[in-house]
Amino acid sequence: MYAFEYQRPKSVADAVAALAKSGGKALAGGQSLVGAMKLRLANPGTIVDLSGIAELRGIKKEGDAIVIGALTTHAEVASSSVVKQSIPALAAVAEGIGDRQVRNRGTLGGSIANNDPAADYPAAVLALGATVHTNKRKIIADDFFKGMYETALAADEIITAVSFPVPKKAAYMKFPQPASRFALVGVFVAQTGGGTRVAVTGAAPHVHRASTIEAALSKSFTADAAKAVKIPADHLNNDIHGSAAYRAHLVSVMASRAVAAAG
Amino acid sequence: MGNSELNTVGQSVRRKEDYRFLTGCGQYTDDVNPPHHTHAYFLRSPHAHANIRRIDTAKAKAAPGVVAVYTGADLTGVNGLPCGWLITGTDGQPMKEPPHPVLAQGKVRYVGDGFAMVIAETPAQAKDAAELIDVDYDAVPAVVNPVEALKAGAPQIHDGAPGNKCYTWALGDKAAVDAAFAKAAHVTQLDIVNNRLIPNAIEPRAAVASYSRADDGYTLYVTSQNPHVERLLMTAFVLGLPETKVRVIAPDVGGGFGSKIYLYPEETAMVWASKRVNRPIKWTAERSESFLADAHGRDHVTHAELALDPDGKFLAMRVHTTAAMGAYLSTFASCIPTILYATLLAGQYTTPAIYCEVTAAFTNTAPVDAYRGAGRPEATYVVERLVHAAASEMGIAQDEIRRRNFIREFPYQTPVALLYDTGGYDACLDEAMRIADVQGFAARKAEAAKRGKLRGLGYAAYIEACGLAPSNIAGTLGARAGLYEVGQVRVNPTGGVTVFTGSHSHGQGHETTFSQVVASRLGIPIENVEIVHGDTGRIPFGMGTYGSRSLAVGGTAIIKALDKVVAKGKKIAAHLLEAAEADIEFKDGKFTVAGTDRSKAFGEVALAAYVPHNYPLDKLEPGLDETAFYDPTNFTFPAGTHICEVEIDPDTGKVAIVNFSACDDFGNIINPMIVEGQVHGGVVQGIGQALLEQCVYDQESGQLLTGSYMDYALPRADDVPSFKVTTKVTPCTHNPLGAKGCGEAGAIGAPAALMNAVHDALSAAGVTYLDMPATPHRVWSALQAAKH
């Protein structure tokens, strides 16, 4: 790890100011950033640690949505009675991330701001049609995820919370890459007020919606309908853990299993 | 009553060493912090193959906290690292042994090849300074696959090894084998890749080297399985130091699996440098370095054939293997795919003629050497995959084809040099089939099919040669070292016993097992026995731990020393009891005049030996401290049957192990709990090889693609089932313990059992061949290919 400056502001405004002034990186749970720093792959110069900002934590129900503070850990989401009651699939996503240590440190905001191509939360945010709240604005999920490790966030913009509308039904199915246990392919299926939404992680350079499966499920919300959809392999990831064709196949299989689990 | 309750042999005594391990009180190399120590960092090649035109260390030397920077050019008078086993080729020529420099000079030959050492006040300063070393590389094409490396036009890795060939070696009667194949009713053929593995001990390699001007001596703490061998190779072959001036201590070591047998460049460079900087130097590998620069395992490409008569009797076996050596010859690299591989190809069977030819190739990868099982898993995999395939092709049941070929008369001379002393192969097969509920398999398979799943059952009837081994035989086969073991039993005046063993424990539980042996023999409480290992300053010259040899060889050396202690004790007791020595019996901790109740306790005799007021000083030396060196007359031959049941999800290709049963014959067992733990650990490593683990280098660039746990899949607890493990016993005939060894069996039997189960499951879907590891992607791809 290279030497770095460390700041721990107490408010979002101070954090934004610190980021703007230093050009450094915001630190949430640190489960990706600190690893990259230890390997000397990241050299942020200044770390702005958000953990002192109380307003970024917490889970509450607001109308028909669950609002989760950006610094809420995976373990907190997984064990929240509010989340488990309203969107059990979201609690299940959190419960399935990494290992116990990661879940106790890693945060919702950190995960979606990082937008790892194989992370689980982006699939949930996208499929549930969630809204990302920042210090500047509200960004709908369809506009938030832009590319591999790329989001709509500006350099001095901090996620404050994510608002998840409660779906009619939802489930997430992940087929883990055998070594990292990140999603080789993960599919989140949701029946929302805005229709059936299906988001895929792990398969492509970034999270995306599977429109052909959404169309099939809109006609018939059944496992067989999802499985019958042939996903083209073009543009999907191809590496030592799985070919693009395998990933394409798994998208249909995991979608069908998610539909079955959603009931 | 007597002390028969002190006889704990055969009991699952809890491990003495676990208190310190579980409470964080273990003392590992990284826990050693001499005053004023410095830290080393090794700069490693980012290229698989490159000429180094120039190295400029000026900026690094001027960096904050830097004590010294050394490159290969600085190591004048330092030789390369030696290989401990000379293989003589079929052409009568010795193997090619190109130099293995401590720090690479002029050329780097794999990603991770170290060529500069920075010594600084802190690890971070050393690493920061290393980034300031300016290196002008001329990258050249690399070759990472051993078959490709031997082809004409392949990049040349060493000037002294034309065509990248280290040797071609053969064992067996080729003419007899060819004749048998010519008249065979059936021939089974397989092309097999035995996947390259990365060892992954939980404790990375580490070293702390110190020099003292007071005695011109060196002390090296190092993660080693055999500190005496390490010292011998380092002093006599590389650094030219007297052995007396170097003390090597291998304290608590967190796993080795073979990877800590070898003399590595890092600690060698550190010992050399410790005198130059006149301060202690510490280095602990980062996990990334472990992936790059620990010796890897396996990496064979094999064509294997089995000839059978119409009844499924094996007539002959013919095997051609290409084995990767990596960029340099590691300490025992050359003997793994030869002496420890081809000699095991008879397996448990009466195959009358076997011929094996092995070509070893240099590749632009980390060196390859022994890894748990070391040659024997590769041999078992060849034999048991052939047997499975032959049975399938000929329509013979898997157990039946094995029974038709089992060796049943012992001793048995195989056609590949080994003499099996004893065994009971039917008993292990029968028991494994019983606990695996083979009878109920058809019903389970049908039930799985209803759920759309593919079930399969696979057998591996393995054998291994352990207890390495008679020095004279090893010598004729090319060993450049002895293979005996030493045990010293020091009885203290108060009756407690300190045992010094040349074996080394890095997870095997020797402190408990050896204590049980000693306490039971002397009739004293197990708490009164202390086992000392891993220190050349305290222990006579021993050979260390590998090849499942510690109890069979090291334990026997202790037994021999105990015999001497008891013999001398009888003399002392005879004097104290005023009886004839011939009338003294030793039992349950007491020396007794036969047929009387007159006796002296072991402790009383010990005290008399050290306080010899009433003592036959004219005939007997005082003291009670005996040493024995034991050189076995043969290998030991643990064997058994593993049966694996898998269920495959054809939608994803995922293989689930639903059942794993093992019946092993390790000879007599001292501590069943420790043996069971060894089997569990070995089986999990075998499952790792078969299902998950694979070291992958990019074929073009030679970059290690599986350089972290993000891409190299180790088995986790939920990848494996609850094992059914049991044993049968045929005692080893040539050591007094009757012990054979158990450390590697799991890793030897499991891969073949698992892959045979996978093939059994997939055969109905038309899949005929799959290499390890049977990852979901690979299984699914094979199923798709079989559809078309």
PDB file of all heavy atoms in Angstrom, chain A residues 103-128:
ATOM      1  N   ARG A 103     -19.472  -9.003   4.624  1.00  0.00           N
ATOM      2  CA  ARG A 103     -20.830  -8.502   4.892  1.00  0.00           C
ATOM      3  C   ARG A 103     -20.853  -7.556   6.085  1.00  0.00           C
ATOM      4  O   ARG A 103     -21.725  -6.701   6.182  1.00  0.00           O
ATOM      5  CB  ARG A 103     -21.788  -9.678   5.132  1.00  0.00           C
ATOM      6  CG  ARG A 103     -22.027 -10.518   3.888  1.00  0.00           C
ATOM      7  CD  ARG A 103     -23.199 -11.452   4.057  1.00  0.00           C
ATOM      8  NE  ARG A 103     -22.922 -12.553   4.969  1.00  0.00           N
ATOM      9  CZ  ARG A 103     -22.329 -13.699   4.636  1.00  0.00           C
ATOM     10  NH1 ARG A 103     -21.915 -13.882   3.389  1.00  0.00           N
ATOM     11  NH2 ARG A 103     -22.127 -14.647   5.521  1.00  0.00           N
ATOM     12  N   ASN A 104     -19.922  -7.713   6.986  1.00  0.00           N
ATOM     13  CA  ASN A 104     -19.880  -6.816   8.145  1.00  0.00           C
ATOM     14  C   ASN A 104     -19.202  -5.490   7.843  1.00  0.00           C
ATOM     15  O   ASN A 104     -19.324  -4.545   8.609  1.00  0.00           O
ATOM     16  CB  ASN A 104     -19.173  -7.501   9.323  1.00  0.00           C
ATOM     17  CG  ASN A 104     -20.097  -8.465  10.037  1.00  0.00           C
ATOM     18  OD1 ASN A 104     -21.303  -8.237  10.096  1.00  0.00           O
ATOM     19  ND2 ASN A 104     -19.547  -9.542  10.558  1.00  0.00           N
ATOM     20  N   ARG A 105     -18.478  -5.421   6.761  1.00  0.00           N
ATOM     21  CA  ARG A 105     -17.781  -4.185   6.400  1.00  0.00           C
ATOM     22  C   ARG A 105     -18.366  -3.541   5.145  1.00  0.00           C
ATOM     23  O   ARG A 105     -18.468  -2.319   5.061  1.00  0.00           O
ATOM     24  CB  ARG A 105     -16.288  -4.458   6.157  1.00  0.00           C
ATOM     25  CG  ARG A 105     -15.489  -4.880   7.366  1.00  0.00           C
ATOM     26  CD  ARG A 105     -15.358  -3.819   8.412  1.00  0.00           C
ATOM     27  NE  ARG A 105     -14.820  -2.560   7.881  1.00  0.00           N
ATOM     28  CZ  ARG A 105     -14.746  -1.425   8.578  1.00  0.00           C
ATOM     29  NH1 ARG A 105     -15.170  -1.400   9.814  1.00  0.00           N
ATOM     30  NH2 ARG A 105     -14.256  -0.331   8.031  1.00  0.00           N
ATOM     31  N   GLY A 106     -18.692  -4.347   4.166  1.00  0.00           N
ATOM     32  CA  GLY A 106     -19.120  -3.837   2.873  1.00  0.00           C
ATOM     33  C   GLY A 106     -20.466  -3.125   2.970  1.00  0.00           C
ATOM     34  O   GLY A 106     -21.309  -3.464   3.796  1.00  0.00           O
ATOM     35  N   THR A 107     -20.658  -2.121   2.112  1.00  0.00           N
ATOM     36  CA  THR A 107     -21.879  -1.307   2.170  1.00  0.00           C
ATOM     37  C   THR A 107     -22.599  -1.283   0.819  1.00  0.00           C
ATOM     38  O   THR A 107     -21.991  -1.494  -0.238  1.00  0.00           O
ATOM     39  CB  THR A 107     -21.545   0.148   2.544  1.00  0.00           C
ATOM     40  OG1 THR A 107     -20.812   0.747   1.471  1.00  0.00           O
ATOM     41  CG2 THR A 107     -20.725   0.210   3.832  1.00  0.00           C
ATOM     42  N   LEU A 108     -23.880  -0.974   0.915  1.00  0.00           N
ATOM     43  CA  LEU A 108     -24.709  -0.848  -0.291  1.00  0.00           C
ATOM     44  C   LEU A 108     -24.155   0.239  -1.212  1.00  0.00           C
ATOM     45  O   LEU A 108     -23.961   0.020  -2.410  1.00  0.00           O
ATOM     46  CB  LEU A 108     -26.148  -0.533   0.139  1.00  0.00           C
ATOM     47  CG  LEU A 108     -27.111  -0.123  -0.972  1.00  0.00           C
ATOM     48  CD1 LEU A 108     -27.253  -1.224  -2.017  1.00  0.00           C
ATOM     49  CD2 LEU A 108     -28.479   0.226  -0.375  1.00  0.00           C
ATOM     50  N   GLY A 109     -23.903   1.419  -0.643  1.00  0.00           N
ATOM     51  CA  GLY A 109     -23.430   2.526  -1.468  1.00  0.00           C
ATOM     52  C   GLY A 109     -22.088   2.235  -2.097  1.00  0.00           C
ATOM     53  O   GLY A 109     -21.852   2.518  -3.272  1.00  0.00           O
ATOM     54  N   GLY A 110     -21.192   1.634  -1.324  1.00  0.00           N
ATOM     55  CA  GLY A 110     -19.874   1.291  -1.842  1.00  0.00           C
ATOM     56  C   GLY A 110     -19.967   0.320  -2.998  1.00  0.00           C
ATOM     57  O   GLY A 110     -19.265   0.453  -4.009  1.00  0.00           O
ATOM     58  N   SER A 111     -20.853  -0.643  -2.861  1.00  0.00           N
ATOM     59  CA  SER A 111     -20.978  -1.665  -3.899  1.00  0.00           C
ATOM     60  C   SER A 111     -21.466  -1.066  -5.210  1.00  0.00           C
ATOM     61  O   SER A 111     -20.887  -1.319  -6.268  1.00  0.00           O
ATOM     62  CB  SER A 111     -21.931  -2.777  -3.435  1.00  0.00           C
ATOM     63  OG  SER A 111     -22.191  -3.660  -4.501  1.00  0.00           O
ATOM     64  N   ILE A 112     -22.529  -0.250  -5.142  1.00  0.00           N
ATOM     65  CA  ILE A 112     -23.068   0.238  -6.426  1.00  0.00           C
ATOM     66  C   ILE A 112     -22.207   1.366  -6.996  1.00  0.00           C
ATOM     67  O   ILE A 112     -22.139   1.538  -8.215  1.00  0.00           O
ATOM     68  CB  ILE A 112     -24.555   0.630  -6.331  1.00  0.00           C
ATOM     69  CG1 ILE A 112     -24.777   1.797  -5.377  1.00  0.00           C
ATOM     70  CG2 ILE A 112     -25.405  -0.574  -5.931  1.00  0.00           C
ATOM     71  CD1 ILE A 112     -26.211   2.328  -5.444  1.00  0.00           C
ATOM     72  N   ALA A 113     -21.524   2.127  -6.133  1.00  0.00           N
ATOM     73  CA  ALA A 113     -20.622   3.165  -6.655  1.00  0.00           C
ATOM     74  C   ALA A 113     -19.437   2.525  -7.370  1.00  0.00           C
ATOM     75  O   ALA A 113     -18.944   3.033  -8.366  1.00  0.00           O
ATOM     76  CB  ALA A 113     -20.125   4.052  -5.523  1.00  0.00           C
ATOM     77  N   ASN A 114     -18.991   1.368  -6.864  1.00  0.00           N
ATOM     78  CA  ASN A 114     -17.872   0.658  -7.495  1.00  0.00           C
ATOM     79  C   ASN A 114     -18.315   0.003  -8.801  1.00  0.00           C
ATOM     80  O   ASN A 114     -17.588  -0.042  -9.768  1.00  0.00           O
ATOM     81  CB  ASN A 114     -17.349  -0.397  -6.507  1.00  0.00           C
ATOM     82  CG  ASN A 114     -16.056  -1.025  -6.964  1.00  0.00           C
ATOM     83  OD1 ASN A 114     -15.137  -0.321  -7.364  1.00  0.00           O
ATOM     84  ND2 ASN A 114     -15.988  -2.345  -6.922  1.00  0.00           N
ATOM     85  N   ASN A 115     -19.567  -0.503  -8.803  1.00  0.00           N
ATOM     86  CA  ASN A 115     -20.155  -1.133 -10.002  1.00  0.00           C
ATOM     87  C   ASN A 115     -19.253  -2.197 -10.613  1.00  0.00           C
ATOM     88  O   ASN A 115     -18.974  -2.210 -11.812  1.00  0.00           O
ATOM     89  CB  ASN A 115     -20.522  -0.072 -11.048  1.00  0.00           C
ATOM     90  CG  ASN A 115     -21.446  -0.643 -12.120  1.00  0.00           C
ATOM     91  OD1 ASN A 115     -22.060  -1.689 -11.929  1.00  0.00           O
ATOM     92  ND2 ASN A 115     -21.544   0.048 -13.243  1.00  0.00           N
ATOM     93  N   ASP A 116     -18.780  -3.102  -9.759  1.00  0.00           N
ATOM     94  CA  ASP A 116     -18.025  -4.270 -10.245  1.00  0.00           C
ATOM     95  C   ASP A 116     -18.936  -5.067 -11.187  1.00  0.00           C
ATOM     96  O   ASP A 116     -20.112  -5.261 -10.896  1.00  0.00           O
ATOM     97  CB  ASP A 116     -17.627  -5.127  -9.030  1.00  0.00           C
ATOM     98  CG  ASP A 116     -16.712  -6.280  -9.399  1.00  0.00           C
ATOM     99  OD1 ASP A 116     -17.144  -7.188 -10.156  1.00  0.00           O
ATOM    100  OD2 ASP A 116     -15.567  -6.275  -8.924  1.00  0.00           O
ATOM    101  N   PRO A 117     -18.400  -5.517 -12.316  1.00  0.00           N
ATOM    102  CA  PRO A 117     -19.241  -6.236 -13.283  1.00  0.00           C
ATOM    103  C   PRO A 117     -19.866  -7.514 -12.729  1.00  0.00           C
ATOM    104  O   PRO A 117     -20.818  -8.034 -13.313  1.00  0.00           O
ATOM    105  CB  PRO A 117     -18.300  -6.541 -14.449  1.00  0.00           C
ATOM    106  CG  PRO A 117     -16.941  -6.154 -14.021  1.00  0.00           C
ATOM    107  CD  PRO A 117     -17.040  -5.284 -12.812  1.00  0.00           C
ATOM    108  N   ALA A 118     -19.339  -8.033 -11.623  1.00  0.00           N
ATOM    109  CA  ALA A 118     -19.884  -9.281 -11.083  1.00  0.00           C
ATOM    110  C   ALA A 118     -20.500  -9.073  -9.698  1.00  0.00           C
ATOM    111  O   ALA A 118     -20.787 -10.040  -9.004  1.00  0.00           O
ATOM    112  CB  ALA A 118     -18.794 -10.347 -11.019  1.00  0.00           C
ATOM    113  N   ALA A 119     -20.703  -7.827  -9.302  1.00  0.00           N
ATOM    114  CA  ALA A 119     -21.299  -7.568  -7.981  1.00  0.00           C
ATOM    115  C   ALA A 119     -22.789  -7.894  -7.998  1.00  0.00           C
ATOM    116  O   ALA A 119     -23.439  -7.867  -9.044  1.00  0.00           O
ATOM    117  CB  ALA A 119     -21.069  -6.118  -7.582  1.00  0.00           C
ATOM    118  N   ASP A 120     -23.321  -8.193  -6.801  1.00  0.00           N
ATOM    119  CA  ASP A 120     -24.728  -8.603  -6.705  1.00  0.00           C
ATOM    120  C   ASP A 120     -25.681  -7.409  -6.609  1.00  0.00           C
ATOM    121  O   ASP A 120     -26.744  -7.399  -7.240  1.00  0.00           O
ATOM    122  CB  ASP A 120     -24.914  -9.475  -5.455  1.00  0.00           C
ATOM    123  CG  ASP A 120     -24.055 -10.726  -5.490  1.00  0.00           C
ATOM    124  OD1 ASP A 120     -24.143 -11.472  -6.488  1.00  0.00           O
ATOM    125  OD2 ASP A 120     -23.290 -10.954  -4.534  1.00  0.00           O
ATOM    126  N   TYR A 121     -25.341  -6.434  -5.786  1.00  0.00           N
ATOM    127  CA  TYR A 121     -26.281  -5.330  -5.532  1.00  0.00           C
ATOM    128  C   TYR A 121     -26.731  -4.595  -6.797  1.00  0.00           C
ATOM    129  O   TYR A 121     -27.904  -4.237  -6.914  1.00  0.00           O
ATOM    130  CB  TYR A 121     -25.660  -4.326  -4.550  1.00  0.00           C
ATOM    131  CG  TYR A 121     -26.114  -4.484  -3.115  1.00  0.00           C
ATOM    132  CD1 TYR A 121     -25.215  -4.339  -2.063  1.00  0.00           C
ATOM    133  CD2 TYR A 121     -27.462  -4.731  -2.795  1.00  0.00           C
ATOM    134  CE1 TYR A 121     -25.620  -4.457  -0.738  1.00  0.00           C
ATOM    135  CE2 TYR A 121     -27.872  -4.851  -1.467  1.00  0.00           C
ATOM    136  CZ  TYR A 121     -26.945  -4.712  -0.440  1.00  0.00           C
ATOM    137  OH  TYR A 121     -27.351  -4.820   0.861  1.00  0.00           O
ATOM    138  N   PRO A 122     -25.822  -4.330  -7.755  1.00  0.00           N
ATOM    139  CA  PRO A 122     -26.296  -3.622  -8.941  1.00  0.00           C
ATOM    140  C   PRO A 122     -27.476  -4.327  -9.619  1.00  0.00           C
ATOM    141  O   PRO A 122     -28.393  -3.660 -10.126  1.00  0.00           O
ATOM    142  CB  PRO A 122     -25.059  -3.589  -9.849  1.00  0.00           C
ATOM    143  CG  PRO A 122     -23.917  -3.560  -8.871  1.00  0.00           C
ATOM    144  CD  PRO A 122     -24.358  -4.475  -7.751  1.00  0.00           C
ATOM    145  N   ALA A 123     -27.474  -5.669  -9.598  1.00  0.00           N
ATOM    146  CA  ALA A 123     -28.586  -6.390 -10.218  1.00  0.00           C
ATOM    147  C   ALA A 123     -29.878  -6.114  -9.465  1.00  0.00           C
ATOM    148  O   ALA A 123     -30.947  -5.926 -10.071  1.00  0.00           O
ATOM    149  CB  ALA A 123     -28.288  -7.891 -10.244  1.00  0.00           C
ATOM    150  N   ALA A 124     -29.802  -6.058  -8.145  1.00  0.00           N
ATOM    151  CA  ALA A 124     -31.003  -5.799  -7.345  1.00  0.00           C
ATOM    152  C   ALA A 124     -31.511  -4.381  -7.578  1.00  0.00           C
ATOM    153  O   ALA A 124     -32.711  -4.148  -7.753  1.00  0.00           O
ATOM    154  CB  ALA A 124     -30.691  -6.022  -5.866  1.00  0.00           C
ATOM    155  N   VAL A 125     -30.585  -3.426  -7.594  1.00  0.00           N
ATOM    156  CA  VAL A 125     -30.967  -2.020  -7.774  1.00  0.00           C
ATOM    157  C   VAL A 125     -31.638  -1.832  -9.137  1.00  0.00           C
ATOM    158  O   VAL A 125     -32.682  -1.183  -9.264  1.00  0.00           O
ATOM    159  CB  VAL A 125     -29.718  -1.118  -7.629  1.00  0.00           C
ATOM    160  CG1 VAL A 125     -30.000   0.306  -8.095  1.00  0.00           C
ATOM    161  CG2 VAL A 125     -29.235  -1.128  -6.172  1.00  0.00           C
ATOM    162  N   LEU A 126     -31.051  -2.471 -10.142  1.00  0.00           N
ATOM    163  CA  LEU A 126     -31.579  -2.290 -11.507  1.00  0.00           C
ATOM    164  C   LEU A 126     -32.923  -3.011 -11.688  1.00  0.00           C
ATOM    165  O   LEU A 126     -33.865  -2.457 -12.247  1.00  0.00           O
ATOM    166  CB  LEU A 126     -30.540  -2.803 -12.517  1.00  0.00           C
ATOM    167  CG  LEU A 126     -30.803  -2.526 -13.997  1.00  0.00           C
ATOM    168  CD1 LEU A 126     -30.976  -1.030 -14.256  1.00  0.00           C
ATOM    169  CD2 LEU A 126     -29.650  -3.067 -14.843  1.00  0.00           C
ATOM    170  N   ALA A 127     -33.003  -4.242 -11.201  1.00  0.00           N
ATOM    171  CA  ALA A 127     -34.230  -5.013 -11.412  1.00  0.00           C
ATOM    172  C   ALA A 127     -35.398  -4.457 -10.595  1.00  0.00           C
ATOM    173  O   ALA A 127     -36.544  -4.507 -11.029  1.00  0.00           O
ATOM    174  CB  ALA A 127     -33.998  -6.489 -11.055  1.00  0.00           C
ATOM    175  N   LEU A 128     -35.086  -3.932  -9.429  1.00  0.00           N
ATOM    176  CA  LEU A 128     -36.176  -3.401  -8.594  1.00  0.00           C
ATOM    177  C   LEU A 128     -36.562  -1.985  -9.005  1.00  0.00           C
ATOM    178  O   LEU A 128     -37.501  -1.400  -8.450  1.00  0.00           O
ATOM    179  CB  LEU A 128     -35.764  -3.435  -7.114  1.00  0.00           C
ATOM    180  CG  LEU A 128     -35.690  -4.836  -6.491  1.00  0.00           C
ATOM    181  CD1 LEU A 128     -34.978  -4.802  -5.150  1.00  0.00           C
ATOM    182  CD2 LEU A 128     -37.099  -5.429  -6.340  1.00  0.00           C
TER     183      LEU A 128
END
